[in-house]
Amino acid sequence: MTDTAVATPRRRNVLTSRIKGLARRSPTAAVGFAIVGLFALGGIFAPLITPYDPVHSFPREILVDPGSTFWFGTDGNGMDIFSRVIFGARYAFAIAVPAVLLSLVIGVPLGLWVGYVGGALDEVTMRVLDALRVFPSIILALAVVAAAGPSVLNVVLVIGVLDSPIFARVVRAEVLALRSSTMVEAAKAAGNPTWRIVMVHLLPNAIQGAMAQSAVRAAWAIRISAALAFLGVGIQVPTPEWGVMIRQGAEFMVTGQWWVALFPGVALMILMLGLNMLGDGMQDLLNPRRRG
Amino acid sequence: MKIRRFLTRRLTFIIPLLVGIVFFTFMLVRLGGQDPVEMLAGPTATQGQIDRIEQELGLDQPLLTQFGIYLMNVAQGDLGKSWISTRPVLDDILARLPVTLELLFLGIGLGALVGIPAGMRGAAHPNGWFDQIARAISLLGFSIPTYWLGLVLLFVFFYLLGWAPPGIGRISMMVIPPPTVTGSYLVDSIIAGDWEATRSALGHLVLPVVSIAIISAAPIIKQTRAIAVEIYSGDAVRYAKACGLPDRQVRKIVMRNATVPILTFVGTEITGLVGTASLIEFVFAWGGLGQYGLNAIVNGDFAAVQGYVLALALFSVVVFLVVDLLVVLLEPRNVDAT
């Protein structure tokens, strides 16, 4: 977005004016950015905000209603749900950020390569990626994590790899459109080597679409990892992760202790809403025609 | 005959695709995860007993030989036996398929019934009040965790209001299920003329179907709107408007032009929603193919996982084929493009 803020007054003015500009051009993106930022801050400063340790159990305070002592109540183990929900943001980002980075690292070069080389290589790669689409990603992720064993690292690797074709597709489409452009022709005529054309002329133009996708893909990564935890594969009890917490609260939904599953679900929903708004807003900014 | 040539070309592509998918899951399931021999033999088994079980199951053969044997069996309609249900996998799958299809198609049908008109109407007046609301709802639908939505609906409509039945199974335990014809309790009880069973089956369908409808409507609204906006800004509409056609006629033109892309999109949505529907089945203890597959994967039930994956792949292939065929029938000029 902008350069990292340096604490000189001049710099800060640039930053605030850019944020204002973003808010004017795409309110959706600005609201999404604010929500995601809030969750990121909550995750970073979780130990300062939360009143209790997220995995400390109070044996006499099991399934307490939300109230002044426990804002969101306690779960079946007597753990404070408010503290657990706040700490849950850490797991969401700890999975989404590396997973999306991994997808970018795999997908962008792949898209550049097959898009620029074209021909049989392109055809075969795209057919393989098409074949993978036959499966819903949650099923694929579930199968791989069940086989590889439940751990945060495995969840990140699986989601990162499974999502990389999306970036490959976006970048490839851009490269195909640019490959025969006058710009590339001129660069070739000027005697640029292939690597320079790809890296200097194609990459900066093609990567925009991939970057705009990344927020939506982060939402997807959080969604899948939470679903895996909910199914009991992936991250395990009593980790304060939202999917795990919803799993713990599922049985209480039909006996009336709604708070156990409700609050982590709301947190998950709001963060995904923020990421989706940010992603939609960025795509609109890049492609003005879509604004209609 | 162009359509016949189109079909043969597509069908020849399917066989290698299926073999590839079977190979992929076979290796995935065999190389990682739980060892079935250990699970069958128990902790006190001697090495001799373990070897005997391995031999019985054919697991002492090289992997590629195992794959060859499996492929031959599949070609003859034998998908092996499930460790858990101890029944042939094919029987398990055939019994559960209609249960899942009923849920899936009712859910997506409802989602499309709401989503397509909402998207079209939004696109007619971009950024108008209706469009804003439809987009907000769509964003919300993208963000709700599926299984959580099911749980919240259960809490509100079962626990609080008492309108819905508990989220266990497809029909009340007090009601005798109708004789099996199609496998769907709703259809079967209507055929049998058993109104009590029909009411119970319908009541159990409402919450899971609504959950799937809400989740599936979100992308349908978004995509329909995007497709329709594109068409509204195209030449066909500009010409129609220049000719002075009334709005109703213009809408018809947009509708006609949007049919094919919307159909293609909903087709791809159906296969994507199989995963979502599995989670809903899990929450409502639906007992369909989705729940069967999830259980098989979590418990390392080899034969069942492979059978499930094969069924999923076949289902996707059939859906894509039907969609493509419909597209060709609607717009014959596309035969060579696809």
Side-chain angles (χ1 to χ4, degrees):
Chain A
M1 196 128 299
T2 40
D3 305 332
T4 40
V6 181
T8 59
R10 172 108 189 84
R11 268 313 229 192
R12 195 173 295 152
N13 285 341
V14 174
L15 191 66
T16 45
S17 74
R18 287 224 179 151
I19 290 176
K20 273 184 195 156
L22 176 72
R24 203 177 49 245
R25 278 182 300 154
S26 171
T28 319
V31 173
F33 187 71
I35 292 175
V36 175
L38 216 60
F39 271 82
L41 289 178
I44 293 169
F45 297 111
L48 301 177
I49 306 168
T50 54
Y52 305 100
D53 183 326
V55 289
H56 182 270
S57 116
F58 298 90
R60 288 154 187 272
E61 314 276 355
I62 284 168
L63 293 174
V64 177
D65 296 31
S68 54
T69 345
F70 300 103
W71 296 343
F72 289 177
T74 61
D75 64 12
N77 297 325
M79 296 179 186
D80 177 40
I81 293 174
F82 177 72
S83 305
R84 289 171 69 73
V85 167
I86 302 288
F87 268 90
R90 289 192 162 188
Y91 286 89
F93 283 103
I95 287 165
V97 173
V100 172
L101 283 179
L102 183 64
S103 310
L104 279 168
V105 166
I106 300 173
V108 171
L110 186 66
L112 273 178
W113 186 45
V114 299
Y116 191 75
V117 175
L121 172 79
D122 183 40
E123 186 72 20
V124 169
T125 313
M126 293 326 281
R127 286 295 85 79
V128 171
L129 296 187
D130 278 347
L132 273 179
R133 272 205 320 189
V134 169
F135 298 108
S137 42
I138 174 76
I139 303 290
L140 261 182
L142 184 65
V144 179
V145 173
S151 74
V152 178
L153 181 68
N154 281 342
V155 171
V156 167
L157 288 177
V158 166
I159 295 175
V161 171
L162 287 185
D163 233 13
S164 53
I166 305 236
F167 292 113
R169 241 177 249 285
V170 172
V171 170
R172 172 184 171 270
E174 296 274 338
V175 170
L176 280 184
L178 287 171
R179 197 172 55 172
S180 49
S181 67
T182 356
M183 173 188 84
V184 170
E185 216 171 286
K188 264 188 201 160
N192 285 295
T194 307
W195 68 264
R196 209 184 136 78
I197 293 174
V198 172
M199 297 307 289
V200 178
H201 299 280
L202 291 179
L203 181 64
N205 286 300
I207 206 166
Q208 280 190 352
M211 297 312 287
Q213 280 275 328
S214 57
V216 176
R217 296 332 294 171
W220 185 244
I222 293 172
R223 184 181 198 145
I224 295 271
S225 67
L228 291 182
F230 174 74
L231 290 170
V233 191
I235 299 169
Q236 301 288 318
V237 181
T239 315
E241 194 270 349
W242 295 329
V244 172
M245 295 169 71
I246 297 173
R247 177 184 175 83
Q248 287 178 305
E251 54 173 315
F252 299 123
M253 276 308 229
V254 286
T255 55
Q257 289 84 10
W258 48 270
W259 55 89
V260 184
L262 186 84
F263 291 113
V266 170
L268 187 53
M269 187 171 79
I270 295 176
L271 178 56
M272 288 208 290
L273 192 65
L275 284 166
N276 280 325
M277 287 174 84
L278 183 59
D280 270 16
M282 286 202 294
Q283 266 162 2
D284 283 352
L285 286 180
L286 280 180
N287 180 7
R289 208 152 53 120
R290 264 192 42 182
R291 269 179 291 184
Chain B
M1 188 70 181
K2 270 189 165 178
I3 287 178
R4 187 174 299 159
R5 207 179 63 211
F6 164 80
L7 271 180
T8 26
R9 202 171 44 190
R10 293 304 295 262
L11 287 172
T12 47
F13 179 63
I14 288 172
I15 303 292
L17 177 75
L18 288 182
V19 173
I21 284 164
V22 171
F23 182 74
F24 175 73
T25 39
F26 189 90
M27 289 303 155
L28 183 72
V29 179
R30 290 296 145 106
L31 291 179
Q34 299 94 334
D35 183 4
V37 179
E38 241 166 58
M39 298 212 302
L40 277 179
T44 59
T46 61
Q47 189 58 43
Q49 283 170 313
I50 289 178
D51 288 346
R52 217 187 55 237
I53 296 176
E54 265 194 349
Q55 235 168 31
E56 262 173 38
L57 296 176
L59 292 176
D60 54 341
Q61 308 275 336
L63 267 181
L64 276 179
T65 319
Q66 286 184 38
F67 177 68
I69 295 169
Y70 179 72
L71 209 56
M72 292 296 284
N73 288 339
V74 169
Q76 289 162 23
D78 176 10
L79 295 179
K81 250 186 181 172
S82 152
W83 315 125
I84 299 173
S85 73
T86 67
R87 298 199 326 148
V89 171
L90 187 65
D91 294 358
D92 275 349
I93 289 177
L94 287 180
R96 285 169 175 78
L97 186 66
V99 176
T100 291
L101 290 185
E102 175 184 38
L103 187 64
L104 193 65
F105 282 115
L106 283 176
I108 295 177
L110 189 61
L113 214 61
V114 175
I116 294 176
M120 293 296 274
R121 180 145 180 222
H125 303 283
N127 297 326
W129 64 272
F130 189 89
D131 189 36
Q132 301 276 5
I133 293 173
R135 288 181 87 180
I137 291 174
S138 158
L139 259 175
L140 210 61
F142 269 108
S143 309
I144 298 180
T146 318
Y147 44 93
W148 181 78
L149 175 66
L151 289 172
V152 171
L153 288 179
L154 265 179
F155 172 70
V156 173
F157 292 100
F158 166 66
Y159 179 80
L160 280 187
L161 300 172
W163 294 352
I168 305 165
R170 303 182 281 135
I171 200 159
S172 163
M173 280 176 223
M174 301 297 163
V175 175
I176 304 158
T180 309
V181 183
T182 58
S184 141
Y185 280 165
L186 185 63
V187 178
D188 287 355
S189 57
I190 291 173
I191 291 173
D194 182 346
W195 299 120
E196 202 190 346
T198 310
R199 268 192 54 185
S200 179
L202 202 59
H204 280 76
L205 268 169
V206 171
L207 290 189
V209 164
V210 167
S211 308
I212 295 179
I214 291 175
I215 303 288
S216 64
I220 292 178
I221 292 176
K222 185 178 174 179
Q223 202 66 25
T224 304
R225 179 186 180 277
I227 291 165
V229 162
E230 195 93 342
I231 295 169
Y232 267 111
S233 61
D235 290 342
V237 168
R238 192 176 307 148
Y239 179 65
K241 278 186 178 160
C243 291
L245 290 185
D247 277 358
R248 204 165 46 83
Q249 296 283 335
V250 174
R251 267 204 300 279
K252 249 188 188 163
I253 291 171
V254 174
M255 202 54 188
R256 180 70 187 81
N257 279 293
T259 310
V260 167
I262 290 176
L263 191 68
T264 315
F265 177 75
V266 173
T268 53
E269 266 305 285
I270 293 175
T271 59
L273 275 166
V274 168
T276 305
S278 306
L279 288 167
I280 288 293
E281 280 192 25
F282 181 78
V283 169
F284 289 91
W286 197 247
L289 193 57
Q291 203 187 354
Y292 180 74
L294 292 184
N295 278 335
I297 293 173
V298 172
N299 294 312
D301 191 347
F302 281 12
V305 173
Q306 273 155 12
Y308 168 66
V309 166
L310 196 61
L312 265 190
L314 260 178
F315 173 70
S316 301
V317 165
V318 169
V319 169
F320 284 139
L321 197 68
V322 169
V323 168
D324 284 348
L325 199 63
L326 283 176
V327 168
V328 168
L329 290 176
L330 283 171
E331 263 174 43
R333 65 177 172 187
N334 283 346
V335 161
D336 295 312
T338 43

